[in-house]
Amino acid sequence: PLIPMIHPGLPPERQIVVGICAMTKKSKSKPMTQILERLCKFEYITVVIMGEDIILNEPVENWPPCDCLISFHSKGFPLDKAVAYAKLCKPFLINDLDMQYYIQDRREVYRILQEEGIDLPRYAVLNRDPDRPEECNLVEGEDHVEVNGAVFPKPFVEKPVSAEDHNVYIYYPTSAGGGSQRLFRKIGSRSSVYSPESSVRKTGSYIYEEFMPTDGTDVKVYTVGPDYAHAEARKSPALDGKVERDSEGKEIRYPVMLTAMEKLVARKVCVAFKQTVCGFDLLRANGHSFVCDVNGFSFVKNSMKYYDDCAKILGNIIMRELAPQFHIPWSIPTEAEDIPIVPTTSGTMMELRCVIAVIRHGDRTPKQKMKMEVKHPRFFELFEKYDGYKTGKLKLKKPEQLQEVLDIARQLVVELGTHSDCEIEERKSKLEQLKSVLEMYGHFSGINRKVQLTYLPHGHPKAASEDEAWCLRVRAAVLPIKTSGDASMINNSCLIFASNIRRAGLINNVTYQYSPDGATGVAFPCS
């Protein structure tokens, strides 16, 4: 009747007995077995599984005592007896038992979610209760229903108020062919079937809610305490009713990263329903996440990482709560995380936990920046006009300021047009480049263009072998200009840059590369 799971080589100290009270199908399932095996590795924890025969047929006074109880409702489970046992023995409860009555009623689930400020689909309750006829006001139209004054156009969802009843219907408008999709617990490879019936059910109590347009997947979230949530996505049963299965016949699940808001929702659900281990369903639609169901105690399937995490968290919760009572010398371990190793056909190797990619779209050229030294008095007049001497730096972003810089560049290009001196040509090419950048797009915007002036009273530093006295007599400013990038401007800039390199005799073999998508550049050998 009792199935103890005792870790070999237990020390003689007082053990914390963790009782597992659930139907055999649940207590002997693979996830539960995997987690309990790991939980037994806590040296002060002993796990005892209560047999189904004891749970169903023995009075609670004959149930074995325990210090901590993991118990949860499923089909056929005597929840009343489990509640009575908890009152009798007063164990530490991992999942509150009284709240499990509420989880069995979708009306109560939605009420609690609403009280906690958790987003859920717009809904109305139709109670067919003879004692409360005012709560049963249903008006059905061709493409809508009105429930107690709330109108739900098709498509809408009809859910039985009992959470144990999984016969959920989705009704379609006549523009989509009418009829309904009837969901049910998975049977073989199917989880729903289409029906031509367009009328809602006329017996029983139901919740009617608006249909949430998702991307064809449901997100299943599994908490272990308020600070841990594992999430997976599965193909929605409302699509075509066919269950996606892998080569081993298991339903295919996809890993999901929860947003910060969804993690907060997971915490709220765990705390509001007082269920340390708790599963619930999320619908992601229209940029928001909505909770549509709370299932209570449920485990992730086929995830060794989850089994490790779940057992570690549960063990720490139990020890933190009960170790002081039993004077057990224990503190939460802070050891480094074990490297995840998984067996493969060719030996063992590290388990891949995630892939992180940084991706940028390719239809935009990167920000460009050019820098030039200017010595003409007009630039210094501009520098003085906007109080640049106060800090030695000046940033120009306003349209009228950029227009002044462009006017100076245009005037200087014209004045230098008659000279043939190499040094003047070098300056002219820079000014032409400055002019072409400022003329780009036909208007100025500080978002994609700005000019900065930095005052250098002694000019650029020169090498020690050069005439230092000449350097002190030169008054110069460095003018960088930045832009978000444009293919034609970059092409022009690259050509000018390449010609400058050739003229300076630095490198002869300069390659100019251009592609229609704006990926342009200058390449040269590194020898």
Side-chain angles (χ1 to χ4, degrees):
L2 297 182
I3 309 172
M5 299 182 66
I6 302 176
H7 188 273
L10 283 172
E13 287 89 346
R14 168 73 159 87
Q15 291 290 295
I16 296 174
V17 178
V18 178
I20 311 299
C21 179
M23 302 301 283
T24 300
K25 183 178 180 181
K26 300 293 183 180
S27 60
K28 291 296 191 69
S29 65
K30 178 184 175 182
M32 181 67 88
T33 302
Q34 292 281 345
I35 291 166
L36 294 182
E37 286 177 354
R38 290 161 170 79
L39 188 62
C40 285
K41 292 180 181 179
F42 283 78
E43 62 177 346
Y44 295 106
I45 289 179
T46 300
V47 175
V48 173
I49 299 177
M50 301 182 189
E52 191 171 296
D53 182 59
I54 287 180
I55 295 172
L56 296 177
N57 302 318
E58 292 288 336
V60 295
E61 291 79 10
N62 294 345
W63 290 13
C66 65
D67 306 304
C68 173
L69 181 64
I70 298 177
S71 181
F72 51 95
H73 179 268
S74 62
K75 186 177 181 180
F77 180 77
L79 183 57
D80 293 344
K81 292 178 71 174
V83 171
Y85 172 79
K87 289 179 180 178
L88 177 67
C89 294
K90 295 181 173 54
F92 170 56
L93 296 177
I94 292 298
N95 278 35
D96 186 88
L97 291 169
D98 289 319
M99 289 299 294
Q100 293 182 28
Y101 288 110
Y102 294 111
I103 293 175
Q104 296 178 58
D105 190 326
R106 288 191 172 99
R107 293 167 296 191
E108 294 299 319
V109 169
Y110 275 33
R111 178 186 61 80
I112 295 171
L113 291 173
Q114 208 163 33
E115 289 177 354
E116 294 298 320
I118 297 171
D119 288 339
L120 61 160
R122 184 176 67 90
Y123 76 98
V125 178
L126 181 74
N127 282 316
R128 287 194 169 99
D129 186 344
D131 297 329
R132 292 182 292 178
E134 71 281 359
E135 295 181 5
C136 184
N137 186 2
L138 176 70
V139 178
E140 184 175 12
E142 185 179 29
D143 272 338
H144 75 279
V145 290
E146 183 178 331
V147 181
N148 299 324
V151 177
F152 294 88
K154 293 180 180 180
F156 59 78
V157 184
E158 181 186 62
K159 296 180 177 179
V161 295
S162 170
E164 298 298 298
D165 188 341
H166 298 275
N167 294 293
V168 176
Y169 292 2
I170 301 171
Y171 295 90
Y172 300 123
T174 53
S175 60
S180 56
Q181 192 77 16
R182 303 189 171 188
L183 283 60
F184 44 79
R185 266 201 181 278
K186 293 190 289 286
I187 301 176
S189 62
R190 297 209 64 82
S191 58
S192 74
V193 64
Y194 174 77
S195 169
E197 180 58 57
S198 296
S199 296
V200 299
R201 287 171 277 191
K202 299 302 188 294
T203 58
S205 298
Y206 300 94
I207 288 178
Y208 290 89
E209 65 183 51
E210 64 178 332
F211 178 81
M212 308 305 294
T214 66
D215 60 356
T217 60
D218 295 340
V219 179
K220 316 285 284 188
V221 183
Y222 303 86
T223 71
V224 187
D227 301 317
Y228 181 95
H230 174 97
E232 297 177 341
R234 65 163 187 180
K235 177 184 172 184
S236 172
L239 281 181
D240 57 9
K242 188 174 181 181
V243 180
E244 285 188 333
R245 298 188 182 274
D246 59 20
S247 57
E248 297 178 1
K250 298 172 183 175
E251 185 179 23
I252 296 175
R253 301 285 182 98
Y254 308 93
V256 168
M257 293 291 289
L258 294 176
T259 65
M261 186 58 68
E262 289 169 340
K263 291 176 184 177
L264 179 60
V265 168
R267 181 184 184 88
K268 285 184 175 182
V269 170
C270 178
V271 172
F273 289 89
K274 300 178 183 179
Q275 307 293 299
T276 300
V277 179
C278 187
F280 66 94
D281 296 346
L282 277 177
L283 297 176
R284 288 173 167 174
N286 302 322
H288 296 279
S289 297
F290 303 87
V291 176
C292 64
D293 197 12
V294 177
N295 304 308
F297 196 101
S298 54
F299 283 137
V300 177
K301 301 175 180 64
N302 307 312
S303 172
M304 295 299 170
K305 178 68 170 61
Y306 170 82
Y307 299 151
D308 293 340
D309 293 341
C310 184
K312 185 180 294 186
I313 293 170
L314 288 178
N316 288 338
I317 290 174
I318 294 167
M319 294 300 296
R320 183 167 54 241
E321 179 70 23
L322 299 178
Q325 297 181 24
F326 299 146
H327 307 290
I328 297 174
W330 180 86
S331 60
I332 295 178
T334 57
E335 75 277 2
E337 183 180 5
D338 295 333
I339 298 175
I341 302 295
V342 294
T344 69
T345 54
S346 57
T348 59
M349 61 178 63
M350 291 178 63
E351 178 186 18
L352 177 65
R353 294 224 178 135
C354 71
V355 175
I356 300 175
V358 180
I359 302 170
R360 179 177 176 173
H361 56 79
D363 61 350
R364 176 187 172 94
T365 53
K367 180 173 72 175
Q368 302 296 308
K369 178 179 179 180
M370 64 165 284
K371 181 185 282 190
M372 62 184 290
E373 184 178 313
V374 293
K375 303 175 184 177
H376 199 280
R378 292 177 188 170
F379 285 107
F380 288 95
E381 291 171 4
L382 187 66
F383 194 78
E384 185 175 5
K385 176 180 178 181
Y386 292 107
D387 295 326
Y389 288 111
K390 286 185 178 180
T391 60
K393 294 182 179 180
L394 182 64
K395 185 182 292 185
L396 305 175
K397 297 177 70 175
K398 294 181 179 179
E400 59 268 20
Q401 295 172 334
L402 295 175
Q403 184 63 51
E404 291 183 69
V405 177
L406 176 58
D407 291 341
I408 294 172
R410 286 171 173 170
Q411 293 168 10
L412 294 180
V413 167
V414 172
E415 291 176 11
L416 294 175
T418 57
H419 297 276
S420 59
D421 183 84
C422 267
E423 184 179 345
I424 294 176
E425 282 295 319
E426 175 72 16
R427 281 186 287 156
K428 182 181 177 183
S429 65
K430 284 283 188 180
L431 287 167
E432 286 177 341
Q433 188 175 1
L434 171 61
K435 175 174 169 287
S436 67
V437 170
L438 291 173
E439 290 175 339
M440 186 173 58
Y441 304 135
H443 67 281
F444 294 121
S445 170
I447 294 175
N448 54 25
R449 269 172 294 186
K450 67 179 176 181
V451 171
Q452 292 173 250
L453 281 166
T454 303
Y455 181 54
L456 302 175
H458 304 301
H460 269 303
K462 303 291 180 180
S465 60
E466 296 191 21
D467 185 353
E468 295 181 3
W470 179 88
C471 180
L472 292 174
R473 289 196 302 270
V474 174
R475 191 173 67 148
V478 174
L479 186 148
I481 182 166
K482 301 177 183 178
T483 176
S484 60
D486 176 82
S488 61
M489 184 278 295
I490 298 170
N491 294 342
N492 185 39
S493 300
C494 289
L495 286 171
I496 295 171
F497 178 47
S499 64
N500 289 342
I501 291 175
R502 291 195 189 96
R503 187 182 295 113
L506 298 176
I507 298 172
N508 291 322
N509 183 18
V510 178
T511 304
Y512 170 69
Q513 297 176 333
Y514 168 75
S515 62
D517 61 359
T520 51
V522 175
F524 44 85
C526 298
S527 57

